[in-house]
Amino acid sequence: MGVMKTVGIITEYNPYHNGHALQYDRVRQRFGSDTAIVCVMSGSFTQRGEPAIVDKWSRTRMALSMGASLVIELPFPFATASAERFASGGINCLAATGVVGQVVFGSESGSLTDLTCLASLLVEEPPLFKSVLRDELDRGMSFPVARQRAAAASLAQSGEDPGIATLLETANNILAIEYLKALDRMGGTLKPWTHRREGQAYIDAEEATAGNCAHLASATSIRARIRMANGRPSQMLQSLALAMPPETLGILLESVRSGQRPLFPEASAPIILALLGSETPDRIDRIAGMEEGLGRRLMQMAARPAKVSVNLLEDLVEAADTRRFTRTRITRAMTALMAGLTRDDLALFDEAGGPQYLRVLGFDRKGRHLLKLMRQHASLPVLTRGSDLLELTGPAAVRMAGLDRLSTDLWSAMAGLPAGADFDTPVIMR
């Protein structure tokens, strides 16, 4: 096999749906039908701080069934982090392979020029940006709102269109900007390409209840339909047949029929509530994301008498949600609490340069060829067996591997499955 074009995608596939298939089609139209796709995918937990709906090997099979060549796991401390750390970890993994030349990502904007303009501003952080950001935070604004206002002021001062700052309002634009910031810091070894994201950005409760599930339904909408099916494969098939490719829907149904129930955020409630009840203020302050009093606020909320509810975790999040403590920050911090991820851990990983290894979850024929090249050119250890995690050396690598194993075991426990899946599950080969 000769030289092939290889692009990288940072993703979650929670689960893989028609929008993802459309992205693969656009990659092939842009770069050629023989292009190899390398995915860096979240493992057992996602960037929202929630357990993935199905296990990471099932989601790997989904990606491979649709034409991905190689799937690499994004380590837990990056998979469950803010957009900046998530993007940085994913870009570092793709660069470390030594075989990826292009990074592809969707965005609501679809304009690489506008996104790059904002990314450059946020990397530079000129004095006016810092001043407005600080003033807005002091006024009690959330960080996303404060950052957008600071960006608009800085763009206006430099003669750029301040309206570009509104791109910071939507999730995929924000991730795109963070990818570009990470690429900028790396010096341009990987080239970016963005396409306009189509379909639903999200789905509200009324739409989910009504059963609307468009051809390009969002992952949020699809997870809502899976929840409503309540573990009944026939109902899932009926409600998701138009929203997911047949191959990936089949893998989802296969996992359900095998006894693996889909996981939702409330599955973590017993663990989180128990930990909040047993932590001390000093210890919880050290957990990643729990600074600024969030941990102590959550402890106070959890100590109150529980109201009659089918979802105690949702009640807790709603009680703690403020302009300063956004919902996603709360859920990420609670996931960090479950794994014992601390701010000292994040500092250790930052000092070490980010991800410390490339954990391969699956590959196809092209991927096998890429793995051979990676053995020669990758700048990080390439792991293809769970036992390889035990052979890592260095404090950052050992700690990161321990968090990955623990996160998998936490997911398995919530799904009613035995621990040790990282060692018992072989790499997926297609």
PDB file of all heavy atoms in Angstrom, residues 43-69:
ATOM      1  N   GLY A  43     -13.651   8.172  25.417  1.00  0.00           N
ATOM      2  CA  GLY A  43     -13.809   6.800  25.873  1.00  0.00           C
ATOM      3  C   GLY A  43     -15.134   6.574  26.584  1.00  0.00           C
ATOM      4  O   GLY A  43     -16.197   6.607  25.968  1.00  0.00           O
ATOM      5  N   SER A  44     -15.076   6.368  27.884  1.00  0.00           N
ATOM      6  CA  SER A  44     -16.281   5.985  28.635  1.00  0.00           C
ATOM      7  C   SER A  44     -17.143   7.172  29.059  1.00  0.00           C
ATOM      8  O   SER A  44     -18.316   6.998  29.376  1.00  0.00           O
ATOM      9  CB  SER A  44     -15.872   5.176  29.872  1.00  0.00           C
ATOM     10  OG  SER A  44     -15.196   3.996  29.481  1.00  0.00           O
ATOM     11  N   PHE A  45     -16.570   8.370  29.084  1.00  0.00           N
ATOM     12  CA  PHE A  45     -17.309   9.574  29.458  1.00  0.00           C
ATOM     13  C   PHE A  45     -17.082  10.646  28.402  1.00  0.00           C
ATOM     14  O   PHE A  45     -16.074  10.638  27.700  1.00  0.00           O
ATOM     15  CB  PHE A  45     -16.869  10.088  30.836  1.00  0.00           C
ATOM     16  CG  PHE A  45     -17.307   9.211  31.974  1.00  0.00           C
ATOM     17  CD1 PHE A  45     -16.597   8.071  32.304  1.00  0.00           C
ATOM     18  CD2 PHE A  45     -18.436   9.519  32.717  1.00  0.00           C
ATOM     19  CE1 PHE A  45     -17.000   7.239  33.347  1.00  0.00           C
ATOM     20  CE2 PHE A  45     -18.853   8.708  33.760  1.00  0.00           C
ATOM     21  CZ  PHE A  45     -18.135   7.559  34.074  1.00  0.00           C
ATOM     22  N   THR A  46     -18.028  11.573  28.309  1.00  0.00           N
ATOM     23  CA  THR A  46     -17.995  12.560  27.236  1.00  0.00           C
ATOM     24  C   THR A  46     -17.645  13.944  27.758  1.00  0.00           C
ATOM     25  O   THR A  46     -17.530  14.171  28.962  1.00  0.00           O
ATOM     26  CB  THR A  46     -19.358  12.620  26.533  1.00  0.00           C
ATOM     27  OG1 THR A  46     -20.333  13.171  27.437  1.00  0.00           O
ATOM     28  CG2 THR A  46     -19.801  11.231  26.081  1.00  0.00           C
ATOM     29  N   GLN A  47     -17.542  14.871  26.807  1.00  0.00           N
ATOM     30  CA  GLN A  47     -17.110  16.220  27.138  1.00  0.00           C
ATOM     31  C   GLN A  47     -18.120  16.962  28.008  1.00  0.00           C
ATOM     32  O   GLN A  47     -17.769  17.915  28.688  1.00  0.00           O
ATOM     33  CB  GLN A  47     -16.848  16.991  25.837  1.00  0.00           C
ATOM     34  CG  GLN A  47     -15.890  18.155  25.995  1.00  0.00           C
ATOM     35  CD  GLN A  47     -16.537  19.485  25.728  1.00  0.00           C
ATOM     36  OE1 GLN A  47     -17.554  19.584  25.038  1.00  0.00           O
ATOM     37  NE2 GLN A  47     -15.970  20.536  26.280  1.00  0.00           N
ATOM     38  N   ARG A  48     -19.355  16.531  28.002  1.00  0.00           N
ATOM     39  CA  ARG A  48     -20.356  17.131  28.896  1.00  0.00           C
ATOM     40  C   ARG A  48     -20.227  16.627  30.333  1.00  0.00           C
ATOM     41  O   ARG A  48     -20.984  17.050  31.207  1.00  0.00           O
ATOM     42  CB  ARG A  48     -21.765  16.814  28.391  1.00  0.00           C
ATOM     43  CG  ARG A  48     -22.130  17.466  27.085  1.00  0.00           C
ATOM     44  CD  ARG A  48     -23.584  17.221  26.753  1.00  0.00           C
ATOM     45  NE  ARG A  48     -23.981  17.810  25.489  1.00  0.00           N
ATOM     46  CZ  ARG A  48     -25.236  17.891  25.062  1.00  0.00           C
ATOM     47  NH1 ARG A  48     -26.212  17.410  25.815  1.00  0.00           N
ATOM     48  NH2 ARG A  48     -25.513  18.438  23.900  1.00  0.00           N
ATOM     49  N   GLY A  49     -19.324  15.686  30.561  1.00  0.00           N
ATOM     50  CA  GLY A  49     -19.197  15.112  31.890  1.00  0.00           C
ATOM     51  C   GLY A  49     -20.239  14.052  32.157  1.00  0.00           C
ATOM     52  O   GLY A  49     -20.633  13.824  33.304  1.00  0.00           O
ATOM     53  N   GLU A  50     -20.688  13.368  31.113  1.00  0.00           N
ATOM     54  CA  GLU A  50     -21.717  12.337  31.247  1.00  0.00           C
ATOM     55  C   GLU A  50     -21.176  11.000  30.748  1.00  0.00           C
ATOM     56  O   GLU A  50     -20.295  10.968  29.881  1.00  0.00           O
ATOM     57  CB  GLU A  50     -22.951  12.716  30.416  1.00  0.00           C
ATOM     58  CG  GLU A  50     -23.600  14.023  30.849  1.00  0.00           C
ATOM     59  CD  GLU A  50     -24.727  14.446  29.915  1.00  0.00           C
ATOM     60  OE1 GLU A  50     -24.905  13.774  28.872  1.00  0.00           O
ATOM     61  OE2 GLU A  50     -25.416  15.432  30.230  1.00  0.00           O
ATOM     62  N   PRO A  51     -21.696   9.881  31.278  1.00  0.00           N
ATOM     63  CA  PRO A  51     -21.282   8.579  30.738  1.00  0.00           C
ATOM     64  C   PRO A  51     -21.752   8.434  29.299  1.00  0.00           C
ATOM     65  O   PRO A  51     -22.857   8.867  28.946  1.00  0.00           O
ATOM     66  CB  PRO A  51     -21.983   7.575  31.662  1.00  0.00           C
ATOM     67  CG  PRO A  51     -23.150   8.324  32.238  1.00  0.00           C
ATOM     68  CD  PRO A  51     -22.696   9.744  32.364  1.00  0.00           C
ATOM     69  N   ALA A  52     -20.917   7.854  28.453  1.00  0.00           N
ATOM     70  CA  ALA A  52     -21.325   7.573  27.077  1.00  0.00           C
ATOM     71  C   ALA A  52     -22.500   6.607  27.094  1.00  0.00           C
ATOM     72  O   ALA A  52     -22.605   5.748  27.974  1.00  0.00           O
ATOM     73  CB  ALA A  52     -20.165   6.983  26.294  1.00  0.00           C
ATOM     74  N   ILE A  53     -23.367   6.719  26.107  1.00  0.00           N
ATOM     75  CA  ILE A  53     -24.603   5.934  26.128  1.00  0.00           C
ATOM     76  C   ILE A  53     -24.328   4.449  25.916  1.00  0.00           C
ATOM     77  O   ILE A  53     -25.047   3.590  26.431  1.00  0.00           O
ATOM     78  CB  ILE A  53     -25.606   6.485  25.093  1.00  0.00           C
ATOM     79  CG1 ILE A  53     -27.010   5.979  25.414  1.00  0.00           C
ATOM     80  CG2 ILE A  53     -25.180   6.179  23.673  1.00  0.00           C
ATOM     81  CD1 ILE A  53     -28.118   6.782  24.800  1.00  0.00           C
ATOM     82  N   VAL A  54     -23.299   4.115  25.140  1.00  0.00           N
ATOM     83  CA  VAL A  54     -22.849   2.725  24.987  1.00  0.00           C
ATOM     84  C   VAL A  54     -21.333   2.696  25.127  1.00  0.00           C
ATOM     85  O   VAL A  54     -20.668   3.729  25.045  1.00  0.00           O
ATOM     86  CB  VAL A  54     -23.276   2.095  23.640  1.00  0.00           C
ATOM     87  CG1 VAL A  54     -24.775   1.911  23.586  1.00  0.00           C
ATOM     88  CG2 VAL A  54     -22.795   2.930  22.458  1.00  0.00           C
ATOM     89  N   ASP A  55     -20.774   1.498  25.322  1.00  0.00           N
ATOM     90  CA  ASP A  55     -19.348   1.388  25.615  1.00  0.00           C
ATOM     91  C   ASP A  55     -18.489   1.838  24.436  1.00  0.00           C
ATOM     92  O   ASP A  55     -18.938   1.912  23.299  1.00  0.00           O
ATOM     93  CB  ASP A  55     -19.013  -0.052  26.007  1.00  0.00           C
ATOM     94  CG  ASP A  55     -19.100  -0.992  24.824  1.00  0.00           C
ATOM     95  OD1 ASP A  55     -18.087  -1.168  24.135  1.00  0.00           O
ATOM     96  OD2 ASP A  55     -20.203  -1.529  24.565  1.00  0.00           O
ATOM     97  N   LYS A  56     -17.227   2.119  24.731  1.00  0.00           N
ATOM     98  CA  LYS A  56     -16.339   2.701  23.720  1.00  0.00           C
ATOM     99  C   LYS A  56     -16.011   1.724  22.597  1.00  0.00           C
ATOM    100  O   LYS A  56     -15.724   2.154  21.468  1.00  0.00           O
ATOM    101  CB  LYS A  56     -15.051   3.209  24.379  1.00  0.00           C
ATOM    102  CG  LYS A  56     -14.252   2.164  25.150  1.00  0.00           C
ATOM    103  CD  LYS A  56     -13.140   2.839  25.941  1.00  0.00           C
ATOM    104  CE  LYS A  56     -12.338   1.855  26.772  1.00  0.00           C
ATOM    105  NZ  LYS A  56     -11.344   2.536  27.637  1.00  0.00           N
ATOM    106  N   TRP A  57     -16.069   0.425  22.852  1.00  0.00           N
ATOM    107  CA  TRP A  57     -15.778  -0.541  21.788  1.00  0.00           C
ATOM    108  C   TRP A  57     -16.950  -0.647  20.816  1.00  0.00           C
ATOM    109  O   TRP A  57     -16.739  -0.792  19.611  1.00  0.00           O
ATOM    110  CB  TRP A  57     -15.426  -1.894  22.392  1.00  0.00           C
ATOM    111  CG  TRP A  57     -14.139  -1.829  23.143  1.00  0.00           C
ATOM    112  CD1 TRP A  57     -12.874  -1.835  22.612  1.00  0.00           C
ATOM    113  CD2 TRP A  57     -13.975  -1.695  24.550  1.00  0.00           C
ATOM    114  NE1 TRP A  57     -11.938  -1.726  23.618  1.00  0.00           N
ATOM    115  CE2 TRP A  57     -12.580  -1.635  24.812  1.00  0.00           C
ATOM    116  CE3 TRP A  57     -14.868  -1.629  25.625  1.00  0.00           C
ATOM    117  CZ2 TRP A  57     -12.072  -1.517  26.101  1.00  0.00           C
ATOM    118  CZ3 TRP A  57     -14.354  -1.501  26.901  1.00  0.00           C
ATOM    119  CH2 TRP A  57     -12.970  -1.448  27.133  1.00  0.00           C
ATOM    120  N   SER A  58     -18.171  -0.547  21.307  1.00  0.00           N
ATOM    121  CA  SER A  58     -19.324  -0.521  20.411  1.00  0.00           C
ATOM    122  C   SER A  58     -19.284   0.722  19.531  1.00  0.00           C
ATOM    123  O   SER A  58     -19.574   0.668  18.327  1.00  0.00           O
ATOM    124  CB  SER A  58     -20.634  -0.544  21.208  1.00  0.00           C
ATOM    125  OG  SER A  58     -20.805  -1.767  21.884  1.00  0.00           O
ATOM    126  N   ARG A  59     -18.906   1.862  20.105  1.00  0.00           N
ATOM    127  CA  ARG A  59     -18.819   3.092  19.325  1.00  0.00           C
ATOM    128  C   ARG A  59     -17.654   3.031  18.338  1.00  0.00           C
ATOM    129  O   ARG A  59     -17.726   3.601  17.241  1.00  0.00           O
ATOM    130  CB  ARG A  59     -18.712   4.287  20.271  1.00  0.00           C
ATOM    131  CG  ARG A  59     -20.060   4.557  20.925  1.00  0.00           C
ATOM    132  CD  ARG A  59     -20.036   5.322  22.228  1.00  0.00           C
ATOM    133  NE  ARG A  59     -19.095   6.404  22.266  1.00  0.00           N
ATOM    134  CZ  ARG A  59     -18.128   6.500  23.183  1.00  0.00           C
ATOM    135  NH1 ARG A  59     -17.997   5.565  24.130  1.00  0.00           N
ATOM    136  NH2 ARG A  59     -17.310   7.521  23.176  1.00  0.00           N
ATOM    137  N   THR A  60     -16.591   2.322  18.711  1.00  0.00           N
ATOM    138  CA  THR A  60     -15.495   2.091  17.766  1.00  0.00           C
ATOM    139  C   THR A  60     -15.978   1.265  16.584  1.00  0.00           C
ATOM    140  O   THR A  60     -15.669   1.566  15.419  1.00  0.00           O
ATOM    141  CB  THR A  60     -14.335   1.363  18.469  1.00  0.00           C
ATOM    142  OG1 THR A  60     -13.792   2.221  19.479  1.00  0.00           O
ATOM    143  CG2 THR A  60     -13.237   0.983  17.493  1.00  0.00           C
ATOM    144  N   ARG A  61     -16.743   0.222  16.861  1.00  0.00           N
ATOM    145  CA  ARG A  61     -17.290  -0.603  15.784  1.00  0.00           C
ATOM    146  C   ARG A  61     -18.184   0.229  14.865  1.00  0.00           C
ATOM    147  O   ARG A  61     -18.203   0.031  13.642  1.00  0.00           O
ATOM    148  CB  ARG A  61     -18.071  -1.779  16.365  1.00  0.00           C
ATOM    149  CG  ARG A  61     -17.195  -2.837  17.034  1.00  0.00           C
ATOM    150  CD  ARG A  61     -18.039  -3.869  17.766  1.00  0.00           C
ATOM    151  NE  ARG A  61     -18.996  -4.515  16.857  1.00  0.00           N
ATOM    152  CZ  ARG A  61     -20.158  -5.013  17.242  1.00  0.00           C
ATOM    153  NH1 ARG A  61     -20.550  -4.910  18.520  1.00  0.00           N
ATOM    154  NH2 ARG A  61     -20.954  -5.601  16.375  1.00  0.00           N
ATOM    155  N   MET A  62     -18.952   1.158  15.447  1.00  0.00           N
ATOM    156  CA  MET A  62     -19.779   2.039  14.629  1.00  0.00           C
ATOM    157  C   MET A  62     -18.918   2.829  13.653  1.00  0.00           C
ATOM    158  O   MET A  62     -19.225   2.915  12.458  1.00  0.00           O
ATOM    159  CB  MET A  62     -20.566   2.995  15.529  1.00  0.00           C
ATOM    160  CG  MET A  62     -21.661   2.347  16.360  1.00  0.00           C
ATOM    161  SD  MET A  62     -22.510   3.599  17.389  1.00  0.00           S
ATOM    162  CE  MET A  62     -23.665   2.560  18.289  1.00  0.00           C
ATOM    163  N   ALA A  63     -17.842   3.422  14.156  1.00  0.00           N
ATOM    164  CA  ALA A  63     -16.977   4.239  13.310  1.00  0.00           C
ATOM    165  C   ALA A  63     -16.335   3.402  12.204  1.00  0.00           C
ATOM    166  O   ALA A  63     -16.312   3.801  11.033  1.00  0.00           O
ATOM    167  CB  ALA A  63     -15.907   4.913  14.157  1.00  0.00           C
ATOM    168  N   LEU A  64     -15.829   2.229  12.552  1.00  0.00           N
ATOM    169  CA  LEU A  64     -15.171   1.368  11.565  1.00  0.00           C
ATOM    170  C   LEU A  64     -16.167   0.878  10.521  1.00  0.00           C
ATOM    171  O   LEU A  64     -15.828   0.754   9.339  1.00  0.00           O
ATOM    172  CB  LEU A  64     -14.504   0.185  12.265  1.00  0.00           C
ATOM    173  CG  LEU A  64     -13.335   0.509  13.203  1.00  0.00           C
ATOM    174  CD1 LEU A  64     -12.849  -0.758  13.908  1.00  0.00           C
ATOM    175  CD2 LEU A  64     -12.183   1.163  12.445  1.00  0.00           C
ATOM    176  N   SER A  65     -17.403   0.614  10.943  1.00  0.00           N
ATOM    177  CA  SER A  65     -18.405   0.116  10.002  1.00  0.00           C
ATOM    178  C   SER A  65     -18.747   1.157   8.948  1.00  0.00           C
ATOM    179  O   SER A  65     -19.230   0.811   7.861  1.00  0.00           O
ATOM    180  CB  SER A  65     -19.682  -0.305  10.749  1.00  0.00           C
ATOM    181  OG  SER A  65     -20.417   0.831  11.193  1.00  0.00           O
ATOM    182  N   MET A  66     -18.503   2.440   9.254  1.00  0.00           N
ATOM    183  CA  MET A  66     -18.835   3.516   8.328  1.00  0.00           C
ATOM    184  C   MET A  66     -17.630   4.024   7.547  1.00  0.00           C
ATOM    185  O   MET A  66     -17.754   4.961   6.756  1.00  0.00           O
ATOM    186  CB  MET A  66     -19.484   4.674   9.098  1.00  0.00           C
ATOM    187  CG  MET A  66     -20.816   4.316   9.729  1.00  0.00           C
ATOM    188  SD  MET A  66     -22.040   3.711   8.534  1.00  0.00           S
ATOM    189  CE  MET A  66     -22.217   5.134   7.473  1.00  0.00           C
ATOM    190  N   GLY A  67     -16.461   3.439   7.772  1.00  0.00           N
ATOM    191  CA  GLY A  67     -15.318   3.809   6.958  1.00  0.00           C
ATOM    192  C   GLY A  67     -14.153   4.436   7.676  1.00  0.00           C
ATOM    193  O   GLY A  67     -13.161   4.805   7.032  1.00  0.00           O
ATOM    194  N   ALA A  68     -14.211   4.591   9.004  1.00  0.00           N
ATOM    195  CA  ALA A  68     -13.024   5.035   9.735  1.00  0.00           C
ATOM    196  C   ALA A  68     -11.954   3.962   9.621  1.00  0.00           C
ATOM    197  O   ALA A  68     -12.253   2.764   9.592  1.00  0.00           O
ATOM    198  CB  ALA A  68     -13.361   5.306  11.191  1.00  0.00           C
ATOM    199  N   SER A  69     -10.701   4.385   9.557  1.00  0.00           N
ATOM    200  CA  SER A  69      -9.598   3.430   9.423  1.00  0.00           C
ATOM    201  C   SER A  69      -8.933   3.111  10.749  1.00  0.00           C
ATOM    202  O   SER A  69      -8.407   2.013  10.930  1.00  0.00           O
ATOM    203  CB  SER A  69      -8.548   3.985   8.450  1.00  0.00           C
ATOM    204  OG  SER A  69      -9.095   4.148   7.161  1.00  0.00           O
TER     205      SER A  69
END
